[in-house]
Amino acid sequence: MHPTTQLLENARERVTFPTEELTKLIYVNDEIYETFMKAQKIIANEPTIRNHPDYHNWSRKQQIIKSYEKLRIMHQHFNLANAVHWAPLLSIFQGTTPTAVSFAMTVPALRFLGTDEQFNLWGPKFLTMEIVAAYAQTEIGHGSDVQNLETTATYDPQSNDFVLHTPSVSAVKFWPGELGFLSNYALVYAKLIFNGKNKGVHPFMVQIRDNSTHKPLRGVTVGDIGPKLGYSTKDNGYLAFDNYRIPLNSMLARYVRIENGQFSRHGNEKISYASMMVSRQLIIFIYPRMAAQALTVAIRYSITRQQFTNDKREENSVIEYQTQQDKLLPRLATCYGMIFAGIRIMQLVDDNFHRVQKKDFSTLQQSHAILSAIKAFSSQWVVDTTEWCRLSCGGHGYAHYSGIPAVYFDTAPNVTLEGENQVMYLQVARYLLKVLQYAEKTPEKVPFYFSFVLHVKETLANKDQNTSLGHWLKLTLTIQLIQVGKRIKDLMNTGKTFQQIWNEHVGIHLMSLAQRYAEYFIYLVFQEYIANANPSVKEILQQLCDLYCVQTILDNPNTLIESGQITQEQLKAFNELKIELFAKIKPQAIGLVEAFNFNDNALRTCIGCHDGKPYEYIYDWATKENSVNKVPQAVIDLMGTKIKAKL
């Protein structure tokens, strides 16, 4: 057996829990798991779409063409209108998945905001891909500030239709995915002008390209914005309208409509939150699994990579070094918490989705707050974790052949898209302050995952410090919430307006508060999963949860220190506990990452393969799969030129 293969096999033999039990938790149900495994197999075995070692030498055009070839083939095997079928592709494709925006954003918005008649008109055409529609909200001049979008849709009572117009460069739609050249429709968000009055921003289903020629229609300017950091195969686009007429039924009319020349509203205006929830939920559900890919590569490589000798004059696997464990094991622990949180949020959003369809908005705000908190927290965590995985692989981590840089580029945009993280956190903080008021006046309105506000006095008494590590997360969150609430009240007593206080005086505190809530929510869900897990994996899951809590406490101890709630001895004990947990989790690390069951093709790696052999695969890819080694004529011409140089 090859020496590095033997190192991995030895590590696998030390795992003491059944990995298949964790696999069941990770993939929720048989349909999701079987679809994921089938997709991995198809992509690995189909020569025209399998992940290619030379991919990052290709031009952007070549990469885009290949992504559409993959989509065409995968469409033959799966129902890509079903998120269970196409969502796994996001983590195992090279490049982004075409039509993901259309299915994950536009279709849910159409379902939530359109009438039954409108959904029956357009919905079936999405399923057959007769329609691919971009979600055209963001403009050059405005992103998160939706209420100040500039594109206008002016109602014309004479012709009973709308005139869609882009009044300035800053009003041009900019960044929507699949707008550049794939979409033939767009869900355009524009200010409705009715009888000369601004009736707010509303969505309009707009055809932008000819069904036969795919060329832009008259009055429409549309195209691709160019290369970006990551998402190289996603055709993020620009879109402008020149007094472009669209029919009356273009406006999604479940909650806002124009009938007989009269404008009316129906239902909850915040329903637009519900449609955005679907895409944010997918970010939370899918992308921590891409961090798991990076962790799989880094941990396997850390076992097979041997550097420096020990007392027996044998080279150590770098995973044996405490500094390497410190890079990877806390992030591995958090990864499991993120995965479980993503699953729970999927369930919460699904429940909210069904309630909203029945015009029950009772869970809308809490679902939005939880989703916003974890979207912001997890998206940044995935990027940070991927970077630490890259660093843990030394020089080889820099190379695309490690598979890790691709994960970074594929996940970095999520920090900004589908709700910029800072804006998300501020919305969470606003809701936390609201539930604090509920606790004081109408405690029955406090949702379960915010029930910590009902026990403020007990938490601040700090009597549970020896019973639960999660207590310290709840204590930190509670202190920050009380402090920021008091700070706002004190500043309002000085005559400052709420908006002034919010924008100029407490922004940093609000951000920190929302982050602490995200950490606490992950802990709560972690504990739920441990309670319901198979007994054979309860111990390792509790160790992971404990490491997650300890690392979280040590990363943000200032609140506890400044409030006098923690002593130096307790902080020292947390550091010692962290090291103890390293010793317990390190032998299980290979089992923890391999429970995800990524095949080598999905990992896109030559340093983290299942059978080891990193050096052989590195050399093989460099010498046989690197098209740049075919020396271009320009190099030959240059070297043949006589140049006079002065040194």
Side-chain angles (χ1 to χ4, degrees), residues 318-347:
V318 296
I319 193 67
E320 299 300 326
Y321 295 106
Q322 193 180 80
T323 52
Q324 188 77 344
Q325 296 166 30
D326 195 35
K327 291 187 183 82
L328 297 174
L329 297 187
R331 288 164 181 81
L332 177 58
T334 304
C335 187
Y336 270 84
M338 289 288 183
I339 297 291
F340 298 151
I343 296 169
R344 177 64 73 243
I345 286 172
M346 182 174 66
Q347 295 163 345

Side-chain angles (χ1 to χ4, degrees), residues 123-185:
K125 296 180 181 179
F126 279 91
L127 305 184
T128 59
M129 292 179 64
E130 292 176 69
I131 291 179
V132 176
Y135 191 88
Q137 177 174 294
T138 299
E139 298 174 351
I140 289 182
H142 293 89
S144 301
D145 186 10
V146 177
Q147 62 185 350
N148 285 314
L149 294 177
E150 298 178 65
T151 302
T152 58
T154 303
Y155 175 68
D156 184 345
Q158 300 300 318
S159 52
N160 198 32
D161 61 8
F162 300 102
V163 178
L164 203 57
H165 187 61
T166 303
S168 65
V169 170
S170 61
V172 173
K173 298 296 180 184
F174 210 83
W175 283 109
E178 295 160 14
L179 179 61
F181 39 77
L182 179 60
S183 294
N184 54 356
Y185 277 71

Side-chain angles (χ1 to χ4, degrees), residues 22 44 50 131 185 363 417 461 472 488 491 541 545 559 615 636:
L22 289 187
R50 76 187 314 272
I131 291 179
Y185 277 71
T363 63
L417 59 78
W472 296 96
I488 290 172
L491 286 168
L541 287 176
C545 185
T559 298
Y615 309 137
I636 298 171

Side-chain angles (χ1 to χ4, degrees), residues 488 491-492 494-503 505:
I488 290 172
L491 286 168
M492 290 189 74
T494 67
K496 290 182 171 61
T497 66
F498 181 81
Q499 201 65 34
Q500 185 182 12
I501 295 167
W502 193 267
N503 293 339
H505 295 279

Side-chain angles (χ1 to χ4, degrees), residues 80-96:
L80 296 185
N82 183 344
V84 171
H85 284 216
W86 64 257
L89 305 183
L90 295 175
S91 64
I92 56 180
F93 257 0
Q94 272 180 314
T96 53

Side-chain angles (χ1 to χ4, degrees), residues 231-294:
Y231 279 24
S232 62
T233 60
K234 183 65 70 179
D235 56 325
N236 297 85
Y238 58 83
L239 175 66
F241 300 100
D242 183 9
N243 293 307
Y244 182 64
R245 287 191 176 270
I246 56 176
L248 184 68
N249 76 333
S250 297
M251 185 172 72
L252 300 193
R254 183 175 292 275
Y255 298 99
V256 178
R257 65 193 64 162
I258 296 175
E259 293 177 311
N260 301 318
Q262 298 296 315
F263 173 83
S264 60
R265 299 180 188 271
H266 308 267
N268 192 323
E269 292 183 6
K270 295 183 179 179
I271 186 63
S272 59
Y273 287 158
S275 60
M276 292 291 288
M277 283 181 181
V278 176
S279 55
R280 290 174 184 165
Q281 163 208 300
L282 286 169
I283 289 174
I284 296 167
F285 183 78
I286 293 296
Y287 288 98
R289 296 161 193 269
M290 295 186 72
Q293 289 177 295

